[in-house]
Amino acid sequence: MPELLPGEDPDQVRMRYKPDVIKGDMDSIRPEVKEYYSNLGAEIVDESHDQDTTDLHKCVSFITRNPPGSEKSNLYILVLGALGGRFDHEMGNINVLYRFSNIRIVLLSDDCSIFLLPKTHSHEIHIERSIEGPHCGLIPMGSPSASTTTTGLRWNLDNTSMSYGGLISTSNIVEEETVRITSDSDLIWTISLRN
């Protein structure tokens, strides 16, 4: 967190954004970091016995069982640090979007944001041009799409089929303030972030 707020005192930033819980298999946390946050009162939950799920999966499971607030239906999870490392970790984190498709989860990197568009309904994405765009993409990762339709993009799709080994919508450009997407398949939406 201090790297995200370089003009502020690092210790104050760490105190302000202290995690309530640190959960995972503990294979990548440095001992001094674990001790630091434990001393600040963060609960450390070691789930090294579970090697069938990722750390992100473990954390999202915890959050959905213990939502911060009274309504789980308003749950929105923003994940920092889920992209930009090893490719298998990135794919595991994207898989979490599919495993928890009923929860709004956004994966955020320095360069882009990524979230799942479930096929269960049409989507309206409101673009915040001061920080998002113009590049975007729609990717049918879970299964092919026989029909995807969009508005608001430079190269809109009109009942277009997409699949790996075929067409996928990459390097598209957001043209309007609102992008509308309908598909018969779950899609990953990604949009570039302005620095």
Side-chain angles (χ1 to χ4, degrees), residues 96-173:
V96 168
L97 301 178
Y98 284 85
R99 298 277 303 263
F100 295 92
S101 61
N102 59 327
I103 304 292
R104 291 171 293 183
I105 303 171
V106 176
L107 307 181
L108 188 65
S109 76
D110 291 339
D111 304 317
C112 69
S113 66
I114 296 173
F115 55 91
L116 181 71
L117 301 175
K119 65 182 176 184
T120 54
H121 56 282
S122 296
H123 301 272
E124 260 190 25
I125 301 170
H126 301 279
I127 307 301
E128 182 56 57
R129 288 189 180 272
S130 64
I131 58 171
E132 293 181 302
H135 299 95
C136 65
L138 285 165
I139 304 166
M141 292 190 75
S143 62
S145 167
S147 176
T148 298
T149 299
T150 66
T151 62
L153 302 177
R154 181 169 295 166
W155 298 286
N156 281 310
L157 305 173
D158 183 15
N159 292 317
T160 304
S161 63
M162 295 191 298
S163 66
Y164 271 96
L167 172 74
I168 59 174
S169 179
T170 62
S171 297
N172 210 327
I173 303 290

Side-chain angles (χ1 to χ4, degrees), residues 63-96:
I63 292 168
T64 57
R65 287 191 312 273
N66 306 284
S70 59
E71 287 195 43
K72 185 177 173 180
S73 64
N74 290 328
L75 188 59
Y76 196 106
I77 300 173
L78 179 62
V79 181
L80 305 175
L83 303 168
R86 283 184 17 210
F87 182 69
D88 60 328
H89 282 179
E90 289 181 338
M91 292 305 294
N93 291 334
I94 291 170
N95 188 53
V96 168

